[in-house]
Amino acid sequence: MSKASINKNMTIKEVLDICPQGEAILSQHLGHCVTCPGANIETLALGAHLHEKDANKIVKELNELCEKGK
């Protein structure tokens, strides 16, 4: 059974629930958003926008990492 794919409409917490090893990628792109209480409601798309990052690039990196971890 394959894990769910990560997409930019997921909250940061949902991403970490699916792919805990993705914390380093998220921290690299979004700084302290990973540990912020807003991670429960803030989507990857919003975090990327607020940090002037490419959400699609982050999603691609996370999915590649999580695929390796299977």
Side-chain angles (χ1 to χ4, degrees):
M1 180 177 4
S2 65
K3 293 184 180 180
S5 289
I6 293 168
N7 67 66
K8 63 185 177 183
N9 296 315
M10 293 177 149
T11 66
I12 293 168
K13 182 183 179 325
E14 288 173 326
V15 171
L16 291 172
D17 287 345
I18 291 170
C19 184
Q21 66 271 35
E23 184 173 348
I25 291 172
L26 290 171
S27 293
Q28 176 187 356
H29 291 286
L30 305 180
H32 296 288
C33 281
V34 176
T35 58
C36 172
N40 292 320
I41 58 171
E42 186 175 299
T43 63
L44 278 177
L46 178 58
H49 174 74
L50 293 172
H51 291 274
E52 298 179 350
K53 301 289 183 169
D54 182 350
N56 293 320
K57 179 181 178 189
I58 298 169
V59 167
K60 181 177 185 244
E61 289 179 23
L62 287 166
N63 278 316
E64 287 172 354
L65 175 68
C66 293
E67 185 65 32
K68 287 180 192 175
K70 286 185 183 177

